[in-house]
Amino acid sequence: MDEGKRAALIKTIELFAYGTIHEYYELKATDSVWTLNDAQVEKLSMLSVASIARKQIDGINSHSSTDVDMMTDTTTTTVVPTKKNKRKSKGGTNDMLSISYAKLAAELHIPNDGTSYNDKDHMRTLEDLLIQCIYSNVISAKLDQASKSLKSEFY
């Protein structure tokens, strides 16, 4: 195996270890990774959902301890203020993470044909992926169709 193919293989394996589908498409444009089949793309997309949620939780946990600072635009990611909005470490219960479908779709390259995401044409594809993640225990969350977001309690 020549050095270029070996480097592409290693980069592809690294994507499954700690990369995302977004990174895959960026690397694919430069022929820096192997081309994945449909099943591999789906698996990397599922792992990416977990990475996106983890990144949002880590970002929220890195904020100061005041709950006021955690509110963001509802089109991206929010921490829903509830009576349970105290940190576990402070003796309270869990926070509620909410990630909008639009943000998830952008990160997951849905749709992948270069057009922009719209609920009418692409929500079903996104929800099918999220349902697969939930049923496969990749994430623990619920779909909220009213607010068009993925919601999960976190610790």
Side-chain angles (χ1 to χ4, degrees):
M1 179 180 295
D2 71 22
E3 200 57 37
K5 287 182 180 180
R6 179 181 165 85
L9 174 62
I10 290 170
K11 188 54 101 175
T12 304
I13 292 169
E14 287 174 347
L15 282 173
F16 282 93
Y18 51 85
T20 64
I21 195 72
H22 183 76
E23 293 167 353
Y24 166 71
Y25 286 116
E26 288 177 346
L27 292 168
K28 185 179 175 190
T30 62
D31 289 330
S32 300
V33 293
W34 284 19
T35 300
L36 302 179
N37 64 33
D38 291 343
Q40 293 166 328
V41 168
E42 180 181 36
K43 179 61 86 174
L44 186 56
S45 294
M46 290 172 62
L47 294 171
S48 296
V49 170
S51 294
I52 293 164
R54 182 79 253 163
K55 186 189 307 182
Q56 297 304 321
I57 291 168
D58 290 346
I60 291 167
N61 284 337
S62 69
H63 274 81
S64 65
S65 63
T66 62
D67 290 338
V68 175
D69 293 337
M70 295 191 305
M71 290 303 294
T72 59
D73 182 12
T74 58
T75 61
T76 57
T77 305
T78 60
V79 174
V80 179
T82 65
K83 292 180 182 177
K84 301 192 301 182
N85 210 12
K86 298 282 185 192
R87 296 272 184 255
K88 266 281 200 200
S89 60
K90 295 180 183 177
T93 57
N94 308 335
D95 285 330
M96 181 67 72
L97 175 71
S98 177
I99 306 173
S100 73
Y101 284 179
K103 178 176 176 58
L104 285 166
E107 293 280 335
L108 297 169
H109 282 253
I110 296 174
N112 190 26
D113 59 8
T115 61
S116 60
Y117 173 82
N118 68 61
D119 292 332
K120 180 183 170 201
D121 296 331
H122 307 111
M123 186 186 305
R124 183 63 191 192
T125 303
L126 176 62
E127 285 183 337
D128 285 347
L129 175 65
L130 296 175
I131 290 167
Q132 182 70 21
C133 289
I134 293 166
Y135 285 169
S136 299
N137 291 321
V138 172
I139 59 171
S140 176
K142 294 179 182 179
L143 303 182
D144 184 349
Q145 292 178 328
S147 68
K148 296 178 184 161
S149 62
L150 178 73
K151 297 194 179 218
S152 178
E153 287 188 359
F154 67 95
Y155 304 96

